[in-house]
Amino acid sequence: MTTHAPHGSGSAPETGGQELPVNRVRHVRSGELDGYAAISGGMVGSRRLWMGMVENPPASSTDNHHHGDSEAGVYVVSGHPVFVYHDGEREVRIEAGPGDFVYVPPFVPHREENPDPDEPVVVVIARTTQEPIKVSVPELYQLTGTEPREAR
């Protein structure tokens, strides 16, 4: 497939003291990640996309949280994570495995679990914000869109 972007003179983003051209494809090798980040404003000059890799240790769980107005897409590389949220009537557990994708909408409280006592979970995450937004909440609840913003 061939696509062509319009020619323009957009300015290059300022990234870590180095000017990155906006009209260049960037290659980040596996050993070049900045912590968890692979595709970010700091790494490649992206403006709206963040991607990175996260490893959750065996027998672990995050706290209940949401990611503010950021959407998140998760691709399971290895392991068998469980994504938990509340649908308004009950707690829902999505059991995922290698090759699966999971979408987490903005403001939806959830947690990630790795119930396996021996195998870590490795996932690639894409989100729609450069900021690592994580808002802890005391419990899972259904997002109805009628809650005051600070209650979400």
Side-chain angles (χ1 to χ4, degrees), residues 1 16 19 21 27 40 67 104 108 132 139:
M1 174 205 288
E19 195 75 15
H27 179 193
S40 68
H67 300 289
V104 181
V108 171
E139 62 185 20

Side-chain angles (χ1 to χ4, degrees), residues 24 34-35 46 52 69 79 87 93 105 110 121 125 137 146:
R24 299 288 188 266
D34 180 14
S46 62
D69 63 0
D87 71 359
R93 302 176 62 79
H110 63 282
V121 163
I125 299 173
V137 295
T146 60

Side-chain angles (χ1 to χ4, degrees), residues 13 15 26 28 36-52 70-74 124-132:
T15 308
R26 299 273 303 175
V28 179
Y36 298 120
I39 306 297
S40 68
M43 287 292 291
V44 301
S46 62
R47 295 185 181 126
R48 293 180 295 260
L49 177 66
W50 184 96
M51 288 184 73
S70 179
E71 293 178 283
V74 181
V124 171
I125 299 173
R127 65 175 185 240
T128 58
T129 180
Q130 293 291 312
E131 296 80 31

